[in-house]
Amino acid sequence: MSMSRTKRGSERLVVIGGDAAGMSAASQARRLKGPDELEIVAFDRGHFTSYSACGIPYWVGGDVAERDQLIARTPEEHRARGIDLRMRTEVTEIDVAGGRVRARDVDSGAESWTSYDKLVIATGARPFRPDLPGVDAPGVHGVQTLDDGQALLDTLARTRGRRAVVVGAGYIGVEMAEALIRRGYEVTVVNRGKEPMSTLDPDMGRLVHEAMEGMGITMVDDAEVTKVLTDDGGRVRAVATQDAEYPADVVVLGIGVHPETALARAAGLPLGVHGGLLTDLAMRVRGHENIWAGGDCVEVLDLVSGQLRHIALGTHANKHGQIIGTNVGGGYATFPGVVGTAVSKVCDLEIARTGLREKDAHRVGLRFVAVTIESTSRAGYYPDPSSMTVKMLAERRTGRLLGVQIVGREGAGKRVDIAAVALTAGMTVEQMTALDLGYAPPFSPVWDPVLVAARKAAKAVDQLA
Ligand SMILES: Cc1cc2nc3c(=O)[nH]c(=O)nc-3n(C[C@H](O)[C@H](O)[C@H](O)COP(=O)(O)OP(=O)(O)OC[C@H]3O[C@@H](n4cnc5c(N)ncnc54)[C@H](O)[C@@H]3O)c2cc1C
């Protein structure tokens, strides 16, 4: 086994993971320090770097024509910028005391140690894959990587039947339901929760359920998948729950992820209750001066509840990478935390949320009011206004905004960003009613739906004061 050492006089940064967080960190560090000052070695066990998994549903659905459109920067482009990128190379051990990592060439099996002065862990998240009979049968697919997306597209091209079952009704499940509808499949979504989109309160999830049924999707809630049934050739033919069977020519799993921290755990690095790495504000692993971590493998501070959470989103991973790269490169940057904003869509239905749900607020002992309003995306007299429902939570007595959920058609989803800013600023719902938002009939009613909700919430807070 060989051991690679730094060139004399320069430091070596080693990055584990070549996607959003890892390569943002490496690229930013390279911008700040040239190759004479900082050698950068990055490892990824897969085939691709800097790719958008977020785009997979739109590639599978046909909105994006080519896989390569989802790749922001190839390994060759990173190498041309002075990053020694080692693809198909898996880091199998971090030796914290020795300041080195052990890596294995996935194809040849050859192993070597590489020393580091600074280390970035950006290993992402691993999708849940339930340990069920038949789950590894041909025709059952995850959608975590570009290889997964290609494998699913290959199956869709080969499959004559037109029945698809999606297991899971989080945002990846609902986005994949849309992709399969667009490919001409009859889609059934089997979901363990009482309603789809458990990141919403159930009353808002019900709106998603109804809208998806209106699109011709069969929604099966409150159901636990017990096995994947196969035909004589061993290929998937149905998904079984405790009380029914759903015929399937293809099955897509979208049941969530957990932080990929096996390496970090084995190395004795600090993990939180959700299994993610714990960092300080500069994204430095707690208690380790020369190790940083970011993206889907870390826990983040929820600025509204004050608690640590694991939220696997590309928007955070890119920011973490940028911050880590700045700090590794000799600058200073911090990541204060998140307010829990997310937006997604299924066909023409837009779904958005930020802040706390009712159950989150209860969990942290907050007393609150919750109001729901119906409004439209445009002035009522302007052509094609679409409807939307806005739910808002505010703290009793103080009136502090706690959370917003929006379900509606075109123009609904990104309105959640108004609430994300208000949450970050710690505004009360009363203060929100005076926000100077843009208005013209094609863009909103004279009172924007978010302001209508804020007015109703402010009134409810007043009545209970
Ligand atoms: C279908 C889908 C849709 C999504 N849509 C959205 C969206 O709309 N909005 C949003 O914000 N987010 C979305 N996401 C989430 C987003 O893609 C992730 O949050 C983001 O990719 C996380 O980046 P990361 O760098 O932390 O981890 P990853 O992208 O998971 O990258 C980790 C990398 O580390 C490598 N690796 C892991 N362990 C090792 C090891 N031991 N040795 C070498 N290499 C290793 C892996 O091969 C991988 O390339 C979506 C995800 C999926 C799957």
Side-chain angles (χ1 to χ4, degrees), residues 250-440:
V250 61
V251 173
V252 173
L253 303 175
I255 43 179
V257 295
H258 56 103
E260 177 69 280
T261 47
L263 272 180
R265 184 185 296 276
L269 296 175
L271 302 182
V273 289
H274 307 288
L277 274 154
L278 297 177
T279 71
D280 64 14
L281 278 175
M283 304 306 299
R284 190 180 258 119
V285 173
R286 285 191 199 166
H288 294 267
E289 196 54 32
N290 62 339
I291 306 180
W292 287 261
D296 286 1
C297 65
V298 302
E299 296 188 8
V300 289
L301 178 65
D302 182 324
L303 296 169
V304 191
S305 69
Q307 299 199 323
L308 286 172
R309 295 175 60 188
H310 177 244
I311 304 179
L313 284 177
T315 173
H316 305 160
N318 280 287
K319 291 187 187 102
H320 291 170
Q322 177 80 12
I323 286 158
I324 292 169
T326 300
N327 292 328
V328 167
Y332 182 65
T334 57
F335 185 81
V338 302
V339 292
T341 312
V343 63
S344 47
K345 80 176 190 74
V346 50
C347 299
D348 65 346
L349 187 80
E350 300 184 358
I351 306 157
R353 55 97 63 224
T354 189
L356 307 185
R357 299 164 297 182
E358 292 199 27
K359 74 173 176 188
D360 305 318
H362 284 305
R363 192 179 299 137
V364 290
L366 287 166
R367 298 177 71 215
F368 60 92
V369 298
V371 299
T372 302
I373 62 105
E374 303 287 332
S375 186
T376 54
S377 60
R378 300 180 167 147
Y381 54 80
Y382 191 86
D384 302 327
S386 65
S387 61
M388 74 181 78
T389 305
V390 181
K391 176 168 181 175
M392 187 172 283
L393 270 61
E395 190 178 19
R396 271 179 76 166
R397 207 173 56 75
T398 67
R400 176 171 67 115
L401 177 69
L402 294 179
V404 167
Q405 298 160 39
I406 306 178
V407 175
R409 308 284 163 167
E410 194 191 350
K414 282 292 276 178
R415 279 189 155 87
V416 82
D417 290 344
I418 306 167
V421 174
L423 272 175
T424 307
M427 293 177 80
T428 65
V429 284
E430 179 67 38
Q431 288 170 326
M432 284 181 77
T433 62
L435 280 174
D436 183 15
L437 306 182
Y439 160 68

Side-chain angles (χ1 to χ4, degrees), residues 17 19-21 44-45 53-54 89 91 122-124 143 171 295-296 313-315 317:
D19 195 22
D44 198 288
R45 62 186 173 200
C54 315
T89 310
V91 174
T123 43
V143 284
Y171 80 91
D296 286 1
L313 284 177
T315 173

